[in-house]
Amino acid sequence: MNIHWSLRSAAGGNLIMIMSYQRSGSLRYLSYRPILPARVLASFPTHENIYTFPNILTFSRLLSAPAIGYLILHDYSAAALLLFAYAGATDLVDGWIARKWGLQTVIGTVVDPMADKALMTSVTVCLALKGALPGPLALLIIGRDIILGLSAVYYRYISLPQPKTLARYWDFSLPSAEVRPTGISKINTALQLGLMGWTLSTLAVSGDVGWWGPEGALGLMWYLVGATTVWSGASYIYTKDAVRILATRKAK
């Protein structure tokens, strides 16, 4: 008994290989014959290992965002500060570990800024609701992050190889686009972390921002963070290769 079937690519229906099943008495054979060269087969999208230590740190920072917000709203300022310090530490070391030991992943370049945005959004909203952060600055930070988030959704969709399904869209092990933070964006992230940490420290010690308000040193930090937030958002527009689509070669 002989059975033959073929395997075709999802994009374009190109024939990739022919597989055969043969049965002769008590013996069975399963064989395949590639149709495309190995270099062409290698060009099709592959999955990457996303379960690396740097990615675990990044995902833990992402998950800590709502917890920190809850602690702020319920006046557990000291606990919020400690968890925020942990999140800030992971932001500093996850990328360094990935580069040091060759653990970089495409999903890491996407989730890392996503975790930063989630952390900043949660802390910013909750501090503004508690009256420790000016409303206009909070709206500026959140507005920029919403625009960048919608842009990430768009680039993920247009860069995803066919077939474009929900399962493949949310499969983070299937890379399609890479985000490269700009220089000013890194500075802005550091300043935002510093501002939130400074504000949380003041709340944990005294219970209010006191003289650190608009007339004090913290007021100057508000203007600095606001200016770099606008600048960093614009940098993704005029900076070349800030977002790079991972092109895949098509079989001919």
Side-chain angles (χ1 to χ4, degrees):
M1 178 179 65
N2 298 332
I3 301 176
H4 304 276
W5 68 92
S6 61
L7 176 65
R8 298 178 178 272
S9 68
N14 298 301
L15 190 63
I16 297 177
M17 66 177 65
I18 295 178
M19 304 183 71
S20 302
Y21 173 80
Q22 302 175 18
R23 178 178 178 181
S24 177
S26 61
L27 298 178
R28 296 174 174 82
Y29 305 91
L30 180 64
S31 60
Y32 69 92
R33 179 164 58 91
I35 301 301
L36 298 179
R39 63 178 181 83
V40 177
L41 288 173
S43 69
F44 286 89
T46 57
H47 293 260
E48 64 178 0
N49 177 27
I50 64 174
Y51 301 104
T52 63
F53 184 62
N55 283 351
I56 292 174
L57 290 177
T58 303
F59 277 106
S60 71
R61 182 166 75 256
L62 180 63
L63 295 176
S64 71
I68 295 173
Y70 174 87
L71 292 173
I72 293 173
L73 290 177
H74 290 79
D75 296 322
Y76 296 108
S77 300
L81 178 61
L82 290 175
L83 190 54
F84 183 80
Y86 164 80
T90 64
D91 190 37
L92 293 176
V93 302
D94 56 1
W96 179 81
I97 294 175
R99 292 187 297 270
K100 179 73 173 179
W101 281 278
L103 298 174
Q104 300 98 324
T105 60
V106 174
I107 187 58
T109 69
V110 176
V111 178
D112 184 73
M114 183 188 301
D116 292 340
K117 302 301 177 290
L119 180 63
M120 285 299 103
T121 298
S122 176
V123 176
T124 298
V125 170
C126 294
L127 286 178
L129 290 175
K130 297 295 290 185
L133 203 66
L137 177 60
L139 290 175
L140 184 61
I141 294 174
I142 296 170
R144 190 207 69 152
D145 290 346
I146 290 176
I147 293 175
L148 293 180
L150 292 176
S151 299
V153 171
Y154 168 74
Y155 276 108
R156 171 63 172 171
Y157 177 78
I158 66 171
S159 63
L160 186 67
Q162 295 289 350
K164 296 181 186 292
T165 64
L166 282 176
R168 283 167 55 82
Y169 184 92
W170 294 109
D171 184 356
F172 291 141
S173 67
L174 184 62
S176 60
E178 182 179 21
V179 179
R180 297 178 178 179
T182 62
I184 185 60
S185 178
K186 294 179 180 179
I187 294 174
N188 176 248
T189 298
L191 289 174
Q192 287 186 3
L193 286 172
L195 173 61
M196 303 308 167
W198 191 349
T199 305
L200 283 173
S201 299
T202 305
L203 290 176
V205 173
S206 63
D208 58 64
V209 294
W211 71 274
W212 297 104
E215 293 78 19
L218 193 57
L220 298 177
M221 191 67 166
W222 292 347
Y223 288 104
L224 182 59
V225 169
T228 56
T229 297
V230 175
W231 187 359
S232 64
S235 69
Y236 283 97
I237 299 176
Y238 64 74
T239 301
K240 183 179 180 181
D241 294 333
V243 179
R244 184 171 69 92
I245 294 178
L246 305 178
T248 56
R249 293 171 294 179
K250 294 183 179 180
K252 297 181 180 179

